[in-house]
Amino acid sequence: MSVSRALSKLWTIIIIVVVVVAVAAGGGLYYYYTTTSKPQKLTFVLIGKGVHPYWSVVEAGMKKAADEIRSKYGADIEATFFTPTREEAYLQLSQVDTYIAQKVTGLAIAPVDAEAAIPYINKALQQNILTITFDTDSPNSNRLAYLGTNNYKAGYLGGLAAYMLAKEKGYIKPGATLKVGIITATLSAQNARERVQGFQDAIKKCIETDPDIRGNINLVIIGPYEDKGDVSTAVNYALSILQANPDLQIAFGSNAYEGPAWSQAMQQLNYPPGKIVLVEFDVTSDNVPPLQQGYALATVGQREYFMGYYAVWLLYNMTKYGVDKALKSFIPGYPNNKIYDTGVDLVGTQHMEFTAPTGEKVVILGLSEYKQLMSKLGVDPSLLGLQNVS
Ligand code: BGC
């Protein structure tokens, strides 16, 4: 072999060795980074409206989703729940600003004031914070989606139940006066606004379509009075409505604590249970006793556990697959529709079914039936105040 051929062979060997070492080193580095680099920390914050057992249920759903995502994907997730001490917009929105400044990954907000929240929601989005509304919407903001009860429909369902229960009591007769008292937290909240509207519309529609009545009822709506999220104000409104209208037949509280406030006022004034058709909102440890004592005849049970649960899953999927893909696979009809309805159940002490004059079928689940349903859906019944229901 000539010297030059031997040299070129040596060079070839050197080049091969260098390439092999480089590839191996590169592969090692790649392996190092893909296996040892930490996943990006994701911080999600869910912002409720006020302090009530209702919100503890939302928080439990949030924790469940975060645990599932951690164990399924090994994701580094921090899910925080914040709620102001009272349903006051300024208390809530100042905190939103703090989370924007912290540059959290995602926010789910239940705006106390649908309009006041708009600049905050839009600002969060401008700063690339994934922002949705839940429990109650801010439809004129740029929120990516709303996740929660269809509140008009839920209020309407409550109104149908109220009408049918009042009819059963003999309060619905041609020429009669039907008095309905309504207490709400604040009409600045989209959910309260829609529930109050739905409730009244249902009663009006029943009066018009009921063949026994044919519109011949003098409907008197008392309120809606806004207690601004304060329980004792709600009780005081209930007391004064009852004192001024001893012939009140239907009472409605659009927020979780208002059914119990009505019930407290009725007890204080020594009303016999069931004299007034009281329809509450929600099934929580606060709402079950008025039902069991016979003061509330029905309640519109929201599925708030799933509002917390899906909010975290949805925000997480947005980080993983992108906003559009995540929303498309979650919300039927997206992008035209940006609302995911978590659904409601009408609940009373026993199972009842009727067809309203409007043609709609109304089913009221008994408490024990509802307890079973919630267990089946994976919601711990004691979270909902149902532990003593057999
Ligand atoms: C509503 C919440 C509200 C809670 C307590 C629930 O019915 O969905 O928005 O914060 O009641 O008032």
Side-chain angles (χ1 to χ4, degrees), residues 163-234:
Y163 185 87
M164 297 310 288
L165 291 165
K167 193 162 183 192
E168 239 183 36
K169 287 195 179 294
Y171 295 158
I172 310 281
K173 287 192 202 116
T177 292
L178 183 64
K179 286 196 174 177
V180 179
I182 301 179
I183 302 177
T184 189
T186 162
L187 293 172
S188 307
Q190 185 77 11
N191 59 353
R193 211 184 275 169
E194 290 177 356
R195 289 174 198 177
V196 167
Q197 193 60 51
F199 190 83
Q200 298 181 63
D201 285 357
I203 293 178
K204 286 181 191 155
K205 232 174 158 183
C206 284
I207 292 172
E208 282 161 23
T209 53
D210 191 337
D212 302 333
I213 303 301
R214 297 182 191 282
N216 183 17
I217 270 199
N218 173 30
L219 176 65
V220 180
I221 305 259
I222 300 148
Y225 289 104
E226 299 179 71
D227 59 50
K228 305 286 177 197
D230 185 52
V231 181
S232 54
T233 310

Side-chain angles (χ1 to χ4, degrees), residues 49-50 52 54-55 87 110 135-136 151 185 191 195 254-257 281-282 302 307:
K49 271 164 94 183
H52 188 274
Y54 173 89
W55 288 108
E87 301 200 10
D135 172 67
T136 178
N151 287 291
N191 59 353
R195 289 174 198 177
S254 78
N255 283 54
Y257 59 91
F281 240 85
D282 300 310
Q302 297 187 82
M307 296 182 202

Side-chain angles (χ1 to χ4, degrees), residues 321-342:
Y321 304 109
V323 171
D324 271 345
K325 217 167 163 193
L327 286 172
K328 209 168 165 190
S329 64
F330 185 65
I331 300 184
Y334 178 84
N336 293 333
N337 173 40
K338 292 185 176 171
I339 293 176
Y340 183 85
D341 182 2
T342 40

Side-chain angles (χ1 to χ4, degrees), residues 5 9 15 26 29 51-52 55 77 79 102 133 159 175 191 222 241 248 255 262 265 285 288 291 317 326 328 365 390:
R5 274 194 68 193
K9 200 169 176 190
I15 288 166
L29 272 180
V51 178
H52 188 274
W55 288 108
I77 283 197
Q102 287 174 9
T133 49
N191 59 353
I222 300 148
I241 297 172
L248 190 87
N255 283 54
W262 273 111
S285 54
V288 173
L291 282 169
N317 284 338
K328 209 168 165 190
L365 304 179
S390 49

Side-chain angles (χ1 to χ4, degrees), residues 13 278 312 332:
I13 291 167
L278 167 60
V312 174

